[in-house]
Amino acid sequence: MANGLTAILFNEEGNYASELRAHLNAYGGIKIVAEIDEPALLTQTISQLKADVLVANLDPQPEANLALLGEITTTHPAVAVFAICSSTDGPLILKAMNLGLKRFVPKPIDQSFLDDALDQVAAQRSTSSDTGRLITVMGTAGGVGATFLATNLAVELAQLDKGNVAVVDLDYRFGQVATLLDVDCTFTIADLCASPEALEFQVIKQALVKHSSGVYVLARPSSFAQADNMTAANCVGVLSKLLEHYAFVVVDGPSRFDQAAKSVLDFTDLNLMLVQLLVPSVRNALRIVEGMRESGVSLEKNCLVCNRFGRDSAHLSLQDVESTLSMRTFASIPDDWATVSGSINLGEPLVEQSPKSKVRLAIQEIAERLHAPDSDSDEKDDRKKGLSLIGRIFANQGGE
Ligand SMILES: Nc1ncnc2c1ncn2[C@@H]1O[C@H](COP(=O)(O)OP(=O)(O)OP(=O)(O)O)[C@@H](O)[C@H]1O
Ligand SMILES: [Mg+2]
C-alpha cells in the first residue's frame, strides 16, 4: 500500500509525537519531510517543502489550530490536510469540512481508516514521486568508518550514474567528507540552512563542489558557530531539494540519535547502520534500534553493514550481532588499514587510489546492489507499486 507519499506532521503534544509518527510510518513508503511543533512555523514549512499531505493534531487547542489549517487549505490547495483530534464534536467536524480539510480522523487513530485516506491522496496527488534515493550512513560508534563508507559509496554510485550523485556531510562539527575527497568548498550546508526562504536548486548547486569522480559534494559548516544554527527542518529541506535533481544522495550521518536524526531517518530511503565487531558498537546499535522503535521511526529502512570484518575479533561473531539486533547483514567490508589510511591521507577515494583492493570491491558491490533496483524496468514497476528500496534490494538478491 506504500505509494511514496510525502507528509508534514504538525503536533503540539510532545507525548503524542511517537504514536503519530508510528501511525504514519505504518502506512509504509511514506516519507515524513518535517515535524512541526509550533504553529508559527507551519506556514513557512509548508511553503518550503514539497508535501502531499499535512497531518495535524488539533489538540490541545482545536479551534485555534483549525483556523490555522483553514488558512493552509486556501494558500496551499494541493496539500491534502488531515486533522487528528480527540474531540468528535459535530460542529467542530463540520467546520473542518467547510474549511476544506480532506479528513477528520478521531483519536485513537484507526489505522485502516488512515490508510484508506492516504490511499486516496496517493491516487490523486499532483506531485511526482519520481525523486532520487536518500541513503544515510549511520555510524554506531565513533570511528566505526561512516565517513569513509559514505564518501566511497557516493563515488562508486557516481561511477554507475555519472553526474547523478551527491554526498552530504551531516557531521556539522567534525565532518571530513570534503577532506576525504580533497575538495575545497567555498559554501557549505550552513549557507543553505541559513536562508529560510524556499530554496532554489540553483542556489544549492552553487554550494556543491564537483569531485573528479563526478560526485557532487555538500560540505559541513566551516565554523562551530554555524553548526549551532543548523535546524532539522532546514536540513531535510536541503536533502529534499537535492533528491529532486540527483538519483542518489548519500549522507554521512546522522551520527547521534537526536531530534534532527529522527527527521533525517524519517526521510531516508535506506539507513546503512554501520557496526564493527565490538561490544560498544553493537550496544549502541541496539540502543539506536530501540530509540527508533520508541519514537515511531520505521525500522524497515535499517540495513546492517559490518566494517573492518575479518579482523581476529575475539568473542563476538557476525551471527551474534545479527541475533542481538534481529537484523540481517546487508554487507561486510574487509579490514585493510594500509589501503584505507592511504586513501584517507591522500584525499583520494579507493576507486582512484586502490581500485583492485578487496575493500574497494566490497563498497563497489554495495553500490551495485543499491543501484540495481532502479536500473531494471520490472523494479521500476515495483517502485511505482511502492515497494521500499530495501524490500527491492533484498528481493533482487533472492532474499539473501
Ligand atoms: N575497512 C577498514 N579497514 C581499515 N581501516 C578502516 C576501515 N574503515 C575505516 N577505517 C579506519 O577507521 C578510521 C575511522 O574512519 P572514519 O573517519 O570513516 O570513521 P567515522 O565513523 O566517520 O568516525 P567519526 O565518529 O569520527 O565520524 C579511519 O582512520 C580509517 O582509516
Ligand atoms: Mg565521520
Side-chain angles (χ1 to χ4, degrees), residues 142-148 171 307-308 333-337 340 344 359:
V144 82
T147 304
F148 160 71
D171 182 348
N307 192 21
R308 307 195 71 172
I333 301 166
D335 182 56
D336 184 348
W337 172 260
V340 175
I344 291 177
V359 63

Side-chain angles (χ1 to χ4, degrees), residues 8-12 20 36-39 42 54-57 65:
I8 292 176
L9 300 190
F10 171 72
N11 173 48
E12 290 180 286
L20 183 58
I36 309 298
D37 56 9
E38 273 183 53
L42 190 56
L54 164 65
V55 180
N57 176 19
N65 284 334

